[in-house]
C-alpha cells in the first residue's frame, strides 16, 4: 500500500462526507473533520503510553452496555501492550444521565482522577444508571467530591465545549452510535480482548509498512 | 427409498432450525434510519399504528418507545422478548418487527415519537425522535440524541440538583398492556380468506381423496337412515373436527415460533427455511412425493371404525384424519406452519390453520351431502394448481433468502424467478398455426416476463439496484460504489476485514479504513 493510495482514499472519504453535508441529512457535519483535532485535542483526557506508536480513540457513553463490556478488554490490551496511546472521547448520546456522568468524569480530570472516575462509571452494573448512581460510584472510587463540585462550577463551560467537539467529530466521521473505536486508521465498534489485540497489531503493521 | 430420505432430511432441517438456539450471526450496524424504519398508519377506528421494521441483528427497547405531544394518546406496545444480560439485568426488546398502537389521535397537529435500540454485535444508537404530522401522517426528522448538540447546563454534585436536571421531562405515555383488539384489526380477515382459499385449492388437488373413502365408509355404516341432512351433519362435524386439529397445529407452530423469533431471523435460519421451501416447491412440481406413512392412515382408520356413524365418531374421525392427509397436503401444510411460526402470533396462527382446514373440507361436505356427483374431475388443471403452489413456495424461499442477503442481490434473485415463471407460462414452448388465442396470449405474457427477468440479471451485472430501472447504468446512472481497498495485505482475522472507505464506512464500522 503506498502512501498516495491512502491519500486518495482520504480525499474520497472527505468528498463523501461533504456530499453528505450538502444533502442536509446531518447538519452537525457542517465542518470537515480535522484528524489532528481528533487525535490531539488538548482538553481530551488520555491514557496509556503518551509516546505510544498506535493511538486508540474511544468514543463511548456511560450508559452503554457494549461500552462497558468492551472497556475492560480495552484497558487490559492498553496495559499489556505498553505502547498504545489512548484518547478518551466522552460522547454521551444514549441517555440524559450519560451527560451528567461525562461531566463528572471530565471534572475529575482537574484533580488528576479522570481514569479513576471513568473506570468507576464503566464498572457500574445495571443497564441504565441514574445520575445519582454515577455520583455514588465516583464518590466510592475516592474522588474528592468538594473539589469535583468546584471544578464543575469553574470549568463547566470548557467541559461542555469539549463534549460538543467530541459530538461534532463523531458525527463528522459518520459514527452511528457507541462504542466506536478508532484504532490507528481503522474504525470498529465492540471488540473483545483478542479483537483489540489483532486490530492494534494490524494498525501497527500498516504504520510501519508506509 | 429416496422420498423417505428427502422427507427425513427436511424433518431434520426443521428440527435443527427449532433446536439450535445459538447466537445470531453478527452483522454490521447500519445507519439508525436503516436499522429502524418507522411507518405510521391510521386504523379504521381513528387510532394510529406505529410499525417499525427492524433490520436483522438489531433490536429496539420496549421502555424507550415514547410518544409525546398535546393530548398525546396512550401508546400500547406488545410484550417484547426478554433479553437477559448477566451484567445488565433483564430488559424487554423487539427484533424484526414491532407494531405499537396509539389510542384515538386528533386529526391534525403533531406528535413526537422517540425510540432507541442497539445492534447485536455491539453498538448502541442514540434515541431517535421523529415529528409526526397527524394530518398527513408524514414523519420528519427532529433530532437524533436528546438535544445534546445544544449548550447544556453543567451538572452539579448535590443530589437535589440532580433530581431537577434528571430524566428528560417528556410527557410520555407509558408502555401499556398489549391491545386485546389487535387481532381483530390489521389483515386478519385477509389472512383467513387467503388460507380458506388455499384450503379450497388444495381440496381440488388429489390431496383430499384419501379422506373420501374414510368419510364414505363412515356414512355407509350409518345405514339406511342416511338422509342428505344427516349426511350434511356428519360430514360437517367431520370437517370442523379436522379443521380444529389443524388449528391446534397452528397454535403449536406459532407458539414455538414466538420462542424462536430471534433464531428465525438469523441468516443461517433464513437460509435453511429457504431451502425447506425450495424442497417443498420441488415436491409440488412432482419431483418427489411427501407422504405420511400409509400404516398411520390404516391405524387411525382402524381405531375409529367402531364408533363410526355417530356424531362423536365423526368428530373423532375428522380429528384423526387431519393427520393422515394425502401426498400433496404435506408440503403446503408444512409451508403454512412455517409461515405461522414466523408470525409468532398464536391466535392468528390457529385461526389461519382452521380456515385452511375448513377450506379443504368444504368439498367433503358437498360430497357427504350429495354424494360424488359434484366433485370436480381430476385432470391436467390439477397439476397446474400444484405447480402454482410450487411457484408460491419458490417466491417465499426467495423472500427468505433476500432477508439474509444484502439488498443488491434482490435483482438477480427476482430475475431468475421471473425467468422460471416465464418458462411455466410456456414462453419457450413452440406454437403452431393451430394454436388457440389463449395459449398465444399466455406465451406473450411469458415472453414479456422472460425479457424482464433477463434485464434484471443484466442490470445486476451492471451494478443496478432499482428493479424498475435496471438498465439505468447504461445512461451513466448510479453505480454501486466501486472504491474498495484492493489487495490490502495481511488479514486480521474475521472481524477485521479491510473494507471500503468512508461512504461505506457507515455500513461496516467493523474495521473499515477511515482516514490517512
Amino acid at each position: 500500500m503506498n502512501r498516495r493510495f491512502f491519500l486518495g482514499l482520504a480525499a474520497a472519504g472527505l468528498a463523501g462526507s461533504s456530499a453528505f453535508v450538502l444533502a442536509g441529512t446531518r447538519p452537525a457535519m457542517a465542518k470537515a473533520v480535522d484528524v489532528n483535532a481528533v487525535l490531539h485535542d488538548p482538553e481530551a483526557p488520555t491514557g496509556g503510553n503518551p509516546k505510544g506508536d498506535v493511538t486508540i480513540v474511544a468514543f463511548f457513553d456511560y450508559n452503554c452496555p457494549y461500552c462497558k463490556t468492551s472497556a475492560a478488554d480495552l484497558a487490559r490490551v492498553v496495559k499489556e501492550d505498553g505502547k498504545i496511546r489512548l484518547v478518551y472521547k466522552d460522547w454521551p448520546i444514549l441517555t440524559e444521565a450519560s451527560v451528567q456522568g461525562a461531566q463528572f468524569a471530565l471534572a475529575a480530570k482537574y484533580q488528576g482522577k479522570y481514569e479513576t472516575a471513568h473506570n468507576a462509571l464503566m464498572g457500574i452494573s445495571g443497564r441504565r444508571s441514574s445520575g445519582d448512581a454515577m455520583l455514588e460510584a465516583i464518590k466510592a472510587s475516592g474522588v474528592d467530591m468538594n473539589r469535583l463540585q468546584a471544578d464543575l462550577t469553574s470549568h463547566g463551560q470548557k467541559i461542555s465545549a469539549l463534549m460538543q467537539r467530541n459530538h461534532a467529530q463523531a458525527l463528522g466521521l459518520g459514527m452511528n452510535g457507541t462504542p466506536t473505536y478508532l484504532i490507528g486508521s481503522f474504525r470498529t465498534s465492540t471488540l473483545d480482548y483478542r479483537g483489540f489485540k489483532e486490530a492494534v497489531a494490524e494498525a501497527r503493521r500498516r504504520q510501519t509498512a508506509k | 427409498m429416496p422420498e423417505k430420505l428427502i422427507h427425513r432430511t427436511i424433518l431434520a432441517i426443521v428440527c435443527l432450525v427449532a433446536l439450535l438456539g445459538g447466537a445470531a450471526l453478527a452483522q454490521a450496524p447500519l445507519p439508525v434510519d436503516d436499522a429502524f424504519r418507522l411507518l405510521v398508519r391510521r386504523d379504521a377506528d381513528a387510532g394510529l399504528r406505529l410499525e417499525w421494521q427492524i433490520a436483522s441483528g438489531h433490536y429496539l427497547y420496549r421502555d424507550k418507545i415514547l410518544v409525546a405531544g398535546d393530548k398525546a394518546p396512550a401508546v400500547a406496545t406488545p410484550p417484547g422478548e426478554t433479553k437477559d444480560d448477566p451484567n445488565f439485568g433483564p430488559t424487554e426488546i423487539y427484533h424484526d418487527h414491532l407494531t405499537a398502537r396509539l389510542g384515538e389521535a386528533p386529526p391534525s397537529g403533531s406528535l413526537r415519537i422517540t425510540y432507541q435500540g442497539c445492534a447485536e454485535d455491539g453498538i448502541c444508537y442514540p434515541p431517535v425522535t421523529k415529528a409526526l404530522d397527524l394530518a398527513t401522517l408524514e414523519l420528519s426528522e427532529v433530532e437524533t440524541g436528546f438535544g445534546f448538540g445544544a449548550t447544556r447546563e453543567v451538572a452539579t454534585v448535590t443530589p437535589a440538583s440532580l433530581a431537577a436536571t434528571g430524566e428528560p421531562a417528556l410527557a410520555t405515555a407509558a408502555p401499556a398492556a398489549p391491545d386485546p383488539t389487535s387481532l381483530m384489526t390489521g389483515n386478519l380477515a385477509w389472512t383467513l380468506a387467503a388460507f380458506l382459499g388455499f384450503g379450497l385449492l388444495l381440496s381440488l388437488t388429489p390431496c383430499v381423496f384419501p379422506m373420501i373413502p374414510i368419510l364414505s365408509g363412515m356414512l355407509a355404516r350409518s345405514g339406511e337412515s342416511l338422509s342428505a341432512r344427516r349426511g350434511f351433519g356428519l360430514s360437517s362435524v367431520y370437517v370442523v373436527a379436522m379443521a380444529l386439529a389443524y388449528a391446534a397445529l397452528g397454535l403449536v407452530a406459532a407458539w414455538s415460533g414466538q420462542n424462536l423469533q430471534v433464531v428465525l431471523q438469523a441468516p443461517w435460519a433464513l437460509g435453511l427455511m429457504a431451502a425447506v421451501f425450495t424442497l417443498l416447491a420441488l415436491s409440488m412440481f412432482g419431483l418427489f412425493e411427501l407422504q405420511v406413512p400409509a400404516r398411520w392412515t390404516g391405524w387411525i382408520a382402524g381405531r375409529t371404525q367402531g364408533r363410526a356413524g355417530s356424531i362423536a365418531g365423526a368428530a373423532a374421525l375428522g380429528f384423526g384424519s387431519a393427520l393422515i392427509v394425502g401426498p400433496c397436503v404435506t408440503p403446503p401444510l408444512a409451508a403454512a406452519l412455517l409461515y405461522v411460526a414466523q408470525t409468532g402470533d398464536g391466535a392468528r396462527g390457529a385461526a389461519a390453520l382452521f380456515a385452511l382446514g375448513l377450506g379443504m373440507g368444504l368439498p367433503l361436505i358437498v360430497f357427504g351431502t350429495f354424494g360424488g356427483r359434484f366433485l370436480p374431475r381430476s385432470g391436467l388443471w390439477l397439476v397446474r394448481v400444484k405447480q402454482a403452489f410450487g411457484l408460491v413456495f419458490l417466491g417465499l424461499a426467495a423472500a427468505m433468502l433476500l432477508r439474509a442477503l444484502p439488498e443488491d442481490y434482490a435483482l438477480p434473485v427476482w430475475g431468475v424467478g421471473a425467468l422460471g415463471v416465464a418458462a411455466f407460462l410456456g414462453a419457450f414452448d413452440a406454437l403452431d398455426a393451430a394454436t388457440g388465442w389463449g395459449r398465444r396470449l399466455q406465451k406473450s405474457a411469458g415472453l414479456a416476463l422472460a425479457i424482464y427477468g433477463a434485464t434484471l440479471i443484466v442490470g445486476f451485472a451492471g451494478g443496478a439496484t432499482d428493479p424498475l430501472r435496471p438498465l439505468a447504468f447504461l445512461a451513466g446512472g448510479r453505480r454501486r460504489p466501486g472504491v474498495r481497498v484492493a489487495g490490502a495485505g495481511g488479514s486480521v482475522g474475521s472481524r477485521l476485514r479491510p473494507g471500503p472507505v468512508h461512504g461505506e464506512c457507515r455500513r461496516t464500522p467493523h474495521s473499515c479504513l477511515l482516514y490517512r
Side-chain angles (χ1 to χ4, degrees):
Chain A
M1 270 331 91
N2 59 38
R3 192 185 187 113
R4 230 169 128 173
F5 181 64
F6 283 112
L7 282 173
L9 288 183
L14 278 178
S17 69
S18 343
F20 207 54
V21 171
L22 288 175
T25 39
R26 290 253 176 104
M29 285 169 51
K31 272 178 264 176
V33 178
D34 176 2
V35 171
N36 193 45
V38 174
L39 297 179
H40 302 285
D41 188 322
E43 294 289 324
T46 55
N49 180 349
K51 293 187 177 151
D53 59 346
V54 171
T55 299
I56 296 181
V57 186
F59 286 81
F60 54 86
D61 179 297
Y62 291 119
N63 258 341
C64 154
Y66 296 116
C67 302
K68 293 186 183 184
T69 43
S70 51
D73 286 326
L74 175 64
R76 186 175 155 207
V77 169
V78 169
K79 196 173 167 204
E80 287 181 3
D81 186 281
K83 287 194 323 191
I84 296 172
R85 182 173 160 269
L86 179 60
V87 180
Y88 294 100
K89 297 281 188 183
D90 290 82
W91 188 30
I93 51 169
L94 297 187
T95 66
E96 196 81 10
S98 309
V99 181
Q100 295 172 349
Q103 288 172 331
F104 297 144
L106 290 171
K109 191 186 82 160
Y110 293 94
Q111 51 181 297
K113 293 219 164 136
Y114 174 83
E115 283 188 305
T116 309
H118 173 88
N119 293 337
L121 292 177
M122 284 298 187
I124 301 176
S125 65
R127 191 161 59 96
R128 285 195 198 104
S129 321
S130 63
D132 286 340
M134 294 190 185
L135 202 52
E136 279 303 312
I138 291 180
K139 194 173 174 183
S141 73
V143 170
D144 178 342
M145 299 310 272
N146 290 325
R147 175 80 202 274
L148 191 73
Q149 176 62 80
D151 287 328
L152 271 173
T153 313
S154 54
H155 301 292
Q157 294 305 319
K158 263 171 133 175
I159 291 171
S160 286
L162 172 62
M163 290 195 298
Q164 305 279 358
R165 284 201 299 281
N166 292 348
H167 186 55
Q169 288 167 359
L171 295 184
L173 292 171
M175 291 180 193
N176 288 320
T178 55
T180 301
Y181 299 105
L182 309 180
I183 301 176
S185 54
F186 287 106
R187 183 176 111 191
T188 80
S189 57
T190 302
L191 292 180
D192 56 9
Y193 172 72
R194 224 184 102 229
F196 277 122
K197 274 190 87 113
E198 286 174 348
V200 169
E202 176 64 10
R204 187 167 277 142
R205 198 190 63 74
R206 277 172 179 275
Q207 282 177 2
T208 49
K210 269 190 304 182
Chain B
M1 192 183 268
E3 295 150 33
K4 214 168 184 175
L5 190 70
I6 293 169
H7 193 178
R8 288 202 178 142
T9 310
I10 293 178
L11 197 70
I13 292 173
V14 170
C15 289
L16 261 177
V17 171
L19 289 178
L20 294 176
L25 285 189
Q27 287 196 335
L30 303 168
V32 68
D33 280 343
D34 289 346
F36 313 110
R37 288 175 204 262
L38 173 60
L39 187 72
V40 181
R41 298 178 205 269
R42 201 174 275 277
D43 275 341
D45 59 354
L48 291 177
R49 230 170 38 204
L50 313 180
E51 298 176 346
W52 280 271
Q53 285 295 337
I54 303 167
S56 78
H58 294 67
Y59 57 88
L60 279 177
Y61 289 113
R62 183 182 188 188
D63 60 356
K64 286 288 176 180
I65 291 168
L66 308 168
V67 174
D70 286 340
K71 289 183 257 169
V75 58
T77 49
E81 302 154 39
T82 302
K83 185 183 176 69
D84 197 1
D85 188 304
N87 293 320
F88 305 109
T91 63
E92 276 190 79
I93 58 163
Y94 304 102
H95 279 100
D96 188 39
H97 184 258
L98 163 65
T99 301
R101 279 161 203 288
L102 284 180
E104 205 169 310
S108 64
S110 80
L111 293 176
R112 288 158 77 91
I113 303 169
T114 303
Y115 50 96
Q116 187 174 13
C118 298
E120 296 279 4
D121 65 348
I123 193 163
C124 284
Y125 296 97
V128 177
T129 302
K130 302 259 184 207
L132 172 69
D133 185 326
L134 286 169
T136 62
L137 293 191
E138 269 173 25
L139 289 164
S140 50
E141 193 83 25
V142 176
E143 62 190 8
T144 300
F146 38 87
F148 170 70
T151 313
R152 300 185 55 84
E153 285 200 6
V154 176
T156 50
V157 176
T158 56
S161 67
L162 281 174
T165 57
E167 289 302 305
L170 285 171
T172 53
D179 185 355
T181 62
S182 66
L183 187 70
M184 304 327 289
T185 53
N187 294 321
L188 183 65
W190 280 114
T191 309
L192 292 187
F195 272 80
L196 191 73
F198 279 141
L200 265 175
L201 270 178
L202 279 178
S203 73
L204 296 178
T205 62
C207 307
V208 186
F209 289 178
M211 293 189 183
I212 291 178
I214 296 177
L215 186 64
S216 64
M218 178 186 79
L219 294 174
R221 273 191 299 279
S222 63
E224 291 163 8
S225 60
L226 183 69
S227 59
R229 196 165 152 187
R230 181 155 173 78
F232 175 76
L234 280 177
S235 51
S236 300
V237 169
Y238 175 88
V239 166
V240 168
M242 183 181 84
L244 279 176
Y246 282 135
L249 275 180
L251 196 65
V252 171
W255 173 81
S256 48
Q258 203 169 29
N259 295 313
L260 295 167
Q261 283 286 304
V262 187
V263 185
L264 291 180
Q265 297 313 316
W268 61 264
L270 288 170
L272 271 181
M273 283 192 287
V276 170
F277 273 116
T278 309
L279 277 176
L280 294 178
L282 292 181
S283 159
M284 292 313 265
F285 292 139
L287 260 72
F288 57 91
E289 298 282 4
L290 281 174
Q291 191 164 10
V292 174
R295 57 199 156 88
W296 295 11
T297 320
W299 185 77
I300 291 187
R303 295 284 294 191
T304 48
Q305 221 148 40
R307 282 168 292 148
S310 67
I311 298 283
L317 207 52
F319 204 86
S321 302
L323 307 172
I324 54 167
V325 285
C328 53
V329 178
T330 316
L333 187 66
L337 289 176
L338 262 182
Y339 167 80
V340 162
Q342 276 268 309
T343 66
D345 184 338
R348 187 181 279 257
L353 267 288
F354 184 80
L356 184 78
L358 214 55
M360 276 170 56
L362 285 180
L364 284 178
I365 298 182
V366 173
F367 171 82
T369 313
F370 302 108
R373 274 168 291 163
F374 294 103
L375 286 185
R377 308 233 173 276
S378 186
L380 182 63
W381 69 285
L382 290 181
V383 178
R384 292 284 180 203
V385 169
K386 276 182 80 176
Q387 288 177 346
F389 269 104
L391 286 178
V392 169
F393 293 159
L394 277 187
L396 282 171
M400 297 266 168
L401 210 57
L402 286 176
R403 280 165 63 183
L405 290 175
E407 279 174 31
D408 297 2
Y409 293 99
L411 249 49
V413 170
W414 293 124
V416 170
L419 281 173
V421 176
F424 272 100
L425 286 175
F428 309 114
D429 300 353
L431 301 182
D432 57 36
T435 308
W437 60 272
R439 180 71 194 74
R440 286 176 188 278
L441 219 57
Q442 202 184 328
K443 174 156 179 163
S444 312
L447 279 175
L449 209 55
I451 291 171
Y452 178 61
T455 312
L456 286 183
I457 294 170
V458 171
F460 169 70
T465 51
D466 182 354
L468 294 178
R469 303 181 65 224
L471 296 183
F473 69 92
L474 290 177
R478 251 186 73 219
R479 283 160 192 269
R480 280 177 299 163
V483 190
R484 308 249 164 195
V485 180
S491 148
V492 212
S494 57
R495 302 197 82 157
L496 251 187
R497 244 171 284 118
V501 197
H502 195 82
E504 288 196 22
C505 212
R506 274 190 292 279
R507 289 183 71 99
T508 54
H510 270 322
S511 72
C512 54
L513 259 183
L514 186 69
Y515 50 79
R516 195 167 304 210

Coordinates of all heavy atoms in Angstrom, one line a residue, chain A residues 109-143:
Chain A
K109 N -10.9 15.1 36.0 CA -9.6 15.3 35.3 C -8.8 16.4 36.0 O -7.6 16.3 36.1 CB -9.8 15.6 33.8 CG -8.6 15.6 33.0 CD -8.8 16.0 31.6 CE -8.7 17.6 31.5 NZ -8.5 18.1 30.2
Y110 N -9.5 17.4 36.5 CA -8.8 18.6 37.1 C -8.2 18.2 38.4 O -7.3 19.0 38.9 CB -9.8 19.8 37.2 CG -10.2 20.3 35.9 CD1 -11.4 19.9 35.3 CD2 -9.4 21.2 35.2 CE1 -11.7 20.3 34.0 CE2 -9.8 21.7 33.9 CZ -10.9 21.2 33.3 OH -11.3 21.7 32.1
Q111 N -8.6 17.1 39.0 CA -7.8 16.7 40.2 C -7.0 15.4 39.8 O -6.6 14.6 40.7 CB -8.7 16.4 41.4 CG -9.9 15.5 41.1 CD -10.8 15.3 42.3 OE1 -10.4 14.8 43.3 NE2 -12.0 15.8 42.2
G112 N -6.8 15.2 38.5 CA -5.9 14.1 38.1 C -6.6 12.7 38.3 O -5.9 11.7 38.4
K113 N -7.9 12.7 38.3 CA -8.5 11.4 38.6 C -9.5 11.0 37.5 O -10.5 10.3 37.8 CB -9.3 11.5 39.9 CG -8.3 11.6 41.1 CD -8.7 10.8 42.3 CE -7.6 10.6 43.3 NZ -8.0 10.8 44.7
Y114 N -9.3 11.5 36.2 CA -10.2 11.1 35.2 C -10.4 9.6 35.1 O -11.5 9.1 35.0 CB -9.8 11.7 33.8 CG -10.8 11.2 32.7 CD1 -12.0 11.9 32.5 CD2 -10.5 10.1 32.0 CE1 -12.8 11.4 31.5 CE2 -11.3 9.7 31.0 CZ -12.5 10.3 30.8 OH -13.4 9.9 29.8
E115 N -9.3 8.9 35.0 CA -9.4 7.5 34.7 C -10.0 6.7 35.9 O -10.7 5.8 35.7 CB -8.0 6.9 34.4 CG -7.6 7.2 32.9 CD -6.4 6.5 32.5 OE1 -5.3 6.7 33.1 OE2 -6.4 5.8 31.4
T116 N -9.8 7.2 37.1 CA -10.4 6.6 38.3 C -11.9 6.8 38.1 O -12.7 5.8 38.3 CB -10.0 7.4 39.6 OG1 -8.6 7.5 39.6 CG2 -10.5 6.7 40.8
A117 N -12.4 8.0 37.8 CA -13.8 8.2 37.7 C -14.4 7.4 36.5 O -15.4 6.8 36.6 CB -14.1 9.7 37.5
H118 N -13.6 7.4 35.4 CA -14.0 6.7 34.2 C -14.2 5.2 34.5 O -15.3 4.6 34.2 CB -13.0 6.9 33.1 CG -13.2 6.1 31.9 ND1 -14.0 6.5 30.8 CD2 -12.8 4.8 31.5 CE1 -14.0 5.6 29.9 NE2 -13.3 4.5 30.3
N119 N -13.2 4.6 35.1 CA -13.3 3.2 35.4 C -14.5 2.9 36.4 O -15.2 1.9 36.3 CB -12.0 2.6 36.0 CG -10.9 2.7 35.0 OD1 -11.2 2.7 33.8 ND2 -9.7 2.8 35.4
A120 N -14.7 3.8 37.3 CA -15.8 3.6 38.3 C -17.1 3.6 37.5 O -18.0 2.8 37.8 CB -15.8 4.7 39.3
L121 N -17.3 4.5 36.6 CA -18.6 4.6 35.9 C -18.7 3.4 35.0 O -19.8 2.9 34.8 CB -18.6 5.9 35.1 CG -18.7 7.2 35.9 CD1 -18.7 8.4 35.0 CD2 -20.0 7.2 36.7
M122 N -17.7 3.0 34.3 CA -17.8 1.8 33.4 C -18.0 0.6 34.2 O -18.5 -0.4 33.7 CB -16.5 1.7 32.6 CG -16.3 2.7 31.5 SD -17.7 2.4 30.3 CE -17.2 3.5 29.0
G123 N -17.7 0.6 35.5 CA -17.8 -0.6 36.3 C -19.2 -0.7 37.0 O -19.5 -1.8 37.6
I124 N -20.0 0.3 36.8 CA -21.4 0.2 37.4 C -22.1 -0.9 36.6 O -22.2 -0.9 35.4 CB -22.2 1.5 37.3 CG1 -21.4 2.6 38.0 CG2 -23.6 1.3 37.8 CD1 -22.1 4.0 37.8
S125 N -22.7 -1.9 37.4 CA -23.5 -2.9 36.7 C -25.0 -2.4 36.7 O -25.3 -1.4 37.4 CB -23.4 -4.2 37.4 OG -23.9 -4.2 38.7
G126 N -25.8 -3.0 35.9 CA -27.1 -2.5 35.7 C -27.2 -1.7 34.4 O -26.2 -1.2 34.0
R127 N -28.4 -1.7 33.8 CA -28.4 -1.2 32.5 C -28.4 0.3 32.4 O -27.6 0.9 31.6 CB -29.7 -1.7 31.8 CG -29.7 -1.5 30.3 CD -30.7 -2.4 29.7 NE -32.0 -2.2 30.2 CZ -32.9 -1.4 29.7 NH1 -32.7 -0.8 28.6 NH2 -34.1 -1.2 30.2
R128 N -29.3 1.0 33.0 CA -29.3 2.4 32.9 C -29.1 3.0 34.3 O -30.0 3.0 35.1 CB -30.6 2.9 32.3 CG -30.6 2.6 30.8 CD -31.7 3.3 30.1 NE -31.9 2.7 28.8 CZ -32.8 1.9 28.5 NH1 -33.8 1.7 29.4 NH2 -32.9 1.3 27.4
S129 N -28.0 3.6 34.5 CA -27.7 4.2 35.8 C -28.3 5.6 35.8 O -28.2 6.3 34.8 CB -26.2 4.3 36.0 OG -25.6 3.1 35.6
S130 N -28.8 6.1 36.9 CA -29.2 7.4 37.0 C -27.9 8.3 37.3 O -26.9 7.7 37.7 CB -30.2 7.6 38.2 OG -29.5 7.2 39.4
G131 N -28.1 9.6 37.3 CA -27.0 10.5 37.6 C -26.6 10.2 39.1 O -25.4 10.3 39.4
D132 N -27.5 10.0 39.9 CA -27.2 9.7 41.3 C -26.3 8.5 41.5 O -25.3 8.6 42.2 CB -28.5 9.5 42.1 CG -29.3 10.8 42.4 OD1 -28.7 11.9 42.2 OD2 -30.5 10.7 42.6
A133 N -26.7 7.5 40.8 CA -25.9 6.2 40.9 C -24.5 6.5 40.4 O -23.5 6.0 41.0 CB -26.5 5.1 40.1
M134 N -24.3 7.3 39.4 CA -23.0 7.6 38.9 C -22.2 8.4 39.9 O -21.0 8.1 40.1 CB -23.1 8.4 37.6 CG -23.7 7.6 36.5 SD -23.6 8.4 34.9 CE -24.5 7.3 33.8
L135 N -22.9 9.3 40.5 CA -22.2 10.1 41.5 C -21.7 9.3 42.7 O -20.6 9.4 43.2 CB -23.2 11.2 42.0 CG -22.6 12.4 42.6 CD1 -21.6 13.0 41.7 CD2 -23.7 13.4 42.9
E136 N -22.6 8.3 43.1 CA -22.2 7.4 44.2 C -21.0 6.6 43.8 O -20.0 6.5 44.6 CB -23.4 6.4 44.4 CG -24.5 7.0 45.3 CD -24.0 7.5 46.6 OE1 -23.2 6.7 47.3 OE2 -24.3 8.6 47.0
A137 N -20.9 6.1 42.6 CA -19.8 5.3 42.1 C -18.5 6.1 42.1 O -17.5 5.6 42.6 CB -20.1 4.7 40.7
I138 N -18.6 7.4 41.7 CA -17.4 8.2 41.7 C -16.9 8.5 43.1 O -15.7 8.5 43.4 CB -17.7 9.5 40.9 CG1 -17.9 9.2 39.4 CG2 -16.6 10.5 41.1 CD1 -18.2 10.4 38.6
K139 N -17.9 8.8 44.0 CA -17.6 9.1 45.4 C -16.9 7.9 46.0 O -15.8 8.0 46.6 CB -18.9 9.3 46.1 CG -18.7 10.0 47.5 CD -20.1 10.3 48.0 CE -20.0 10.8 49.4 NZ -21.4 11.1 50.0
A140 N -17.4 6.7 45.7 CA -16.8 5.5 46.3 C -15.4 5.2 45.7 O -14.6 4.5 46.3 CB -17.7 4.3 46.0
S141 N -15.1 5.8 44.6 CA -13.8 5.5 44.0 C -12.7 6.4 44.6 O -11.5 6.2 44.2 CB -13.9 5.7 42.4 OG -13.9 7.1 42.2
G142 N -13.1 7.3 45.4 CA -12.1 8.1 46.1 C -11.8 9.4 45.5 O -10.8 10.1 45.8
V143 N -12.7 9.9 44.7 CA -12.6 11.2 44.1 C -13.0 12.3 45.2 O -14.0 12.0 45.9 CB -13.4 11.4 42.8 CG1 -13.5 12.8 42.4 CG2 -12.9 10.5 41.7

